[in-house]
Amino acid sequence: MRSVSWARIASCLTLATLPAFGSERVHIVIPAGPGGGLDGTAREVGRVLVELGLLDQASFENVSGGGGGRAMAYFLENAHRFEAPLLVNSTPLLVRSLQGLFPYSFRDLTPVAALVADYGVFVVRADDPRQGWQAVARDLKSDPRAFAVGGGSARGSLDHIVLAMALRLVDVDARAVRYLPYDGGGKAMLALLGGEVDLLSTGLGETVPFIEAGQVRVLATTAPARVPAIADAPTFTELGYPLAFANWRGLFGPPDMTAEALEVHLARLATLSDSENWRSTVLRRGWDHLAMTGASFAAYLESQERQLKEVMVDIGFVQADGK
């Protein structure tokens, strides 16, 4: 997925040679509540940009609701109020657009850059008797309603789709499984720890602190190879299942973003990506680096949209003749 290297971007763009653009402040709208992967990505980006002296200030605004549609509408209607507005988003943007949950898509925005990939994980409480994914599969194959599975996104959205991908491989109908949606990964994790659900389908990045604290165990991950942050957790590939999937997270600008503004953002992000501050953040969070910007990012979005539609049609979340 690394179609354009940050080093190449940095060699073409430097803050010193770019035209002046607005203030040294950025305002990032987050289409989810606090504590989830989108929230963490936005705040880590802002923090490191300020630490590196690339910004004087980064502000954040959580706008949850409507599967991300409320934040999208808010951003499109209010971007002009901010000097340098950005919207953080991820793969669910494509999912919800395909489902028609809101009348927007990435085509209504200016793709700036994809920054990180966050792999899916399936976790249970530390004291759960199930010691591996095979035990979960066996229970659900015997009775699809044996227990509830939680996720930090709506039914038919990304956490549910990744669950469905995994269940298809063990001949379990995801539509028969009790899936309980929560508004963001933070609330979903609280539901797991509180016993409302027994299995959580979520992103690795937002789960690492709970893994390190010994509160949860990872049964399997959708990473293509073992991830250092959870070196003991097997991948689905290791378990014999052909499943590898990454949730990208990136930044978008308003539809009327100028070429000059885009160049300034790209220069800042190139410097961020090459910094030790960011590398250590990515490692700590369990993320993987991405480097897709501008037109290459837009082309990747087109490609992933087609791939997701194919899967969603197959598992019944969208109609074959739908968008």
Side-chain angles (χ1 to χ4, degrees):
M1 290 188 286
R2 299 176 177 80
S3 55
V4 177
S5 72
W6 285 114
R8 181 177 177 185
I9 296 168
S11 70
C12 299
L13 302 171
T14 66
L15 290 172
T17 60
L18 287 172
F21 166 56
S23 71
E24 297 303 303
R25 294 186 292 177
V26 163
H27 184 74
I28 305 178
V29 174
I30 305 165
L38 283 171
D39 185 70
T41 300
R43 293 177 188 276
E44 294 285 25
V45 167
R47 176 185 63 80
V48 176
L49 286 173
V50 171
E51 284 181 357
L52 296 175
L54 299 171
L55 290 176
D56 291 334
Q57 179 183 349
S59 57
F60 310 94
E61 189 171 3
N62 294 87
V63 183
S64 60
R70 183 166 171 257
M72 178 78 87
Y74 173 84
F75 184 76
L76 291 173
E77 292 170 7
N78 294 279
H80 65 279
R81 295 174 46 213
F82 305 105
E83 296 178 18
L86 290 170
L87 174 71
V88 65
N89 227 308
S90 57
T91 307
L93 169 64
L94 307 182
V95 173
R96 288 157 188 158
S97 177
L98 284 167
Q99 291 176 311
L101 294 180
F102 50 66
Y104 313 108
S105 76
F106 70 88
R107 298 172 184 84
D108 296 301
L109 302 165
T110 299
V112 175
L115 296 172
V116 298
D118 190 11
Y119 299 111
V121 291
F122 293 93
V123 301
V124 294
R125 291 181 297 278
D127 61 355
D128 192 287
R130 287 169 282 258
Q131 294 300 310
W133 171 255
Q134 292 91 336
V136 166
R138 184 170 57 250
D139 287 352
L140 291 178
K141 193 166 185 177
S142 173
D143 177 8
R145 302 186 67 79
F147 56 84
V149 183
S153 60
R155 185 173 178 82
S157 293
L158 190 61
D159 290 339
H160 195 194
I161 289 172
V162 174
L163 171 67
M165 289 178 176
L167 293 178
R168 288 173 67 218
L169 298 174
V170 292
D171 298 320
V172 174
D173 183 357
R175 291 169 289 190
V177 173
R178 289 190 293 151
Y179 174 82
L180 300 184
Y182 295 87
D183 185 15
K187 291 182 179 179
M189 180 59 72
L190 290 176
L192 176 68
L193 297 177
E196 291 180 22
V197 298
D198 292 309
L199 177 70
L200 185 61
S201 172
T202 187
L204 170 58
E206 59 200 276
T207 312
V208 168
F210 300 92
I211 298 169
E212 293 177 342
Q215 294 177 283
V216 300
R217 286 186 291 107
V218 179
L219 301 184
T221 173
T222 65
R226 290 214 178 193
V227 179
I230 49 168
D232 293 335
T235 68
F236 276 98
T237 303
E238 285 180 63
L239 297 175
Y241 305 112
L243 174 59
F245 185 84
N247 174 21
W248 56 264
R249 294 201 185 101
L251 296 171
F252 296 80
D256 59 352
M257 175 179 276
T258 66
E260 292 79 11
L262 177 60
E263 287 180 348
V264 169
H265 285 306
L266 291 181
R268 286 174 177 154
L269 294 172
T271 302
L272 171 138
S273 184
D274 287 339
S275 70
E276 181 57 37
N277 307 51
W278 184 246
R279 284 191 290 270
S280 63
T281 298
V282 169
L283 180 63
R284 171 171 52 83
R285 286 280 191 166
W287 295 335
D288 193 10
H289 290 276
L290 286 182
M292 293 179 291
T293 64
S296 68
F297 184 22
Y300 173 76
L301 294 172
E302 295 269 4
S303 174
Q304 192 183 63
E305 185 181 59
R306 290 191 296 270
Q307 293 171 345
L308 280 168
K309 180 180 177 181
E310 193 173 313
V311 173
M312 292 168 70
V313 167
D314 188 48
I315 57 181
F317 290 148
V318 298
Q319 296 298 315
D321 58 351
K323 179 181 173 184

